[in-house]
Amino acid sequence: MRAVGLLLLLLALCGSGAQGELQETETTKTTTADIWAEVRALRDMVVELKVELRNVQAAVTDSESQVEELKAELMVTNVYVELLQRENSELQTRLSSSESELLISKTRIETLERENTERKVAFYTGLTDSGNVGPFTSETTLKFSKVFTNIGDAYNPSTGFFTAPVRGVYYFQFTMCGLQAGPMGVYVFKNNQRIMYNLENKEETDYEYMTNSVVLELMAGDEIHLVLPPGYSLFDSADNESTFSGSLLFTL
């Protein structure tokens, strides 16, 4: 009876050991399968990473190509900008030159207009409306106060002086009238130099005239005026018996 019990116990232990080995084997198989699954998953992941790496490398290569193209375009752009800047600088230089030429032309035009205005010189004057002038005890500058023409404003009725505005050749003419008995006549002065003396000795009271003219080369600023000698007399009225005139013939 005791032997039967031991036999049963041994069988039980054997059965239990076989069952444990079987379970251990199954567990090992399961673990190995999981490891291979993970290995396959890692392999797939590596394959995917390689594919992605190739794609990234391709993208990088493409980007590098684009960068090189952009660099080339940038160089071309820089060259173009440099050319434009150079052209702009040349245009600015030409513009400045044109502005300078325009200013010079404008100055020349203004000068020509001024010279043209200054070249128009002519005057015609009468002595007075008061009748007899003189005789005086000293030389007296004749102030022809009645101004009929004074183009260029070269004649000053307040002083009796004509002032040449430009260098040139001028023509002057005077007509003098005497009414009183006695000497009549005038001096013609250029600046402080007497260049003409006209005399007529009247023996009776009556109208008598003298006319003379002169052509003179004058510098700008030279002055011409008529002087009544001491003891001489002239006559003028509203009829303008005594006149003084002149004009610019041409410039030099």
Side-chain angles (χ1 to χ4, degrees):
M1 192 66 180
R2 183 177 179 183
V4 173
L6 289 172
L7 181 61
L8 291 174
L9 178 62
L10 181 62
L11 291 173
L13 288 173
C14 290
S16 176
Q19 186 176 2
E21 290 178 359
L22 181 61
Q23 290 179 353
E24 184 178 353
T25 301
E26 292 178 355
T27 302
T28 301
K29 289 182 179 180
T30 302
T31 302
T32 301
D34 293 339
I35 290 172
W36 280 109
E38 290 180 4
V39 169
R40 284 192 297 271
L42 289 173
R43 184 194 59 190
D44 295 339
M45 186 180 299
V46 169
V47 172
E48 291 177 359
L49 288 174
K50 286 183 177 181
V51 172
E52 290 181 4
L53 180 60
R54 283 196 296 270
N55 292 336
V56 170
Q57 288 176 340
V60 169
T61 302
D62 185 56
S63 298
E64 289 176 348
S65 299
Q66 292 180 0
V67 168
E68 292 300 324
E69 291 177 359
L70 289 174
K71 284 182 179 179
E73 291 180 1
L74 181 60
M75 290 179 63
V76 172
T77 302
N78 289 336
V79 172
Y80 184 65
V81 168
E82 196 173 313
L83 291 174
L84 287 177
Q85 289 176 342
R86 190 178 307 165
E87 184 177 355
N88 183 55
S89 178
E90 292 175 355
L91 288 175
Q92 287 181 344
T93 301
R94 291 172 58 186
L95 178 60
S96 300
S97 177
S98 298
E99 289 176 347
S100 298
E101 292 177 359
L102 180 61
L103 182 60
I104 292 173
S105 299
K106 183 178 179 181
T107 303
R108 287 177 178 173
I109 291 173
E110 291 176 351
T111 301
L112 289 173
E113 289 178 346
R114 183 169 59 253
E115 289 178 354
N116 187 48
T117 300
E118 290 172 349
R119 286 172 181 159
K120 295 178 180 179
V121 180
F123 72 98
Y124 173 68
T125 61
L127 182 58
T128 181
D129 285 340
S130 61
N132 289 313
V133 177
F136 303 108
T137 58
S138 60
E139 291 183 354
T140 303
T141 298
L142 294 173
K143 299 177 182 179
F144 290 79
S145 58
K146 298 183 293 183
V147 179
F148 303 106
T149 301
N150 195 13
I151 298 172
D153 293 324
Y155 177 76
N156 187 345
S158 299
T159 62
F161 281 69
F162 170 86
T163 304
V166 294
R167 180 188 176 192
V169 176
Y170 293 80
Y171 172 81
F172 298 96
Q173 177 177 300
F174 59 85
T175 296
M176 298 296 141
C177 175
L179 181 60
Q180 301 180 90
M184 60 171 284
V186 293
Y187 298 142
V188 178
F189 275 81
K190 173 186 175 183
N191 300 324
N192 295 322
Q193 178 187 4
R194 189 173 70 187
I195 59 174
M196 183 180 285
Y197 175 34
N198 289 264
L199 168 65
E200 183 72 31
N201 194 9
K202 293 173 75 285
E203 295 181 355
E204 58 183 21
T205 301
D206 194 8
Y207 290 101
E208 191 163 336
Y209 295 87
M210 66 169 60
T211 296
N212 210 338
S213 60
V214 61
V215 176
L216 296 173
E217 177 183 342
L218 301 179
M219 301 295 293
D222 283 345
E223 295 177 328
I224 301 295
H225 67 285
L226 304 184
V227 173
L228 183 66
Y232 285 48
S233 66
L234 296 173
F235 177 83
D236 196 18
S237 67
D239 293 327
N240 303 311
E241 289 85 355
S242 295
T243 61
F244 178 38
S245 62
S247 62
L248 171 64
L249 298 179
F250 52 87
T251 59
L252 296 174

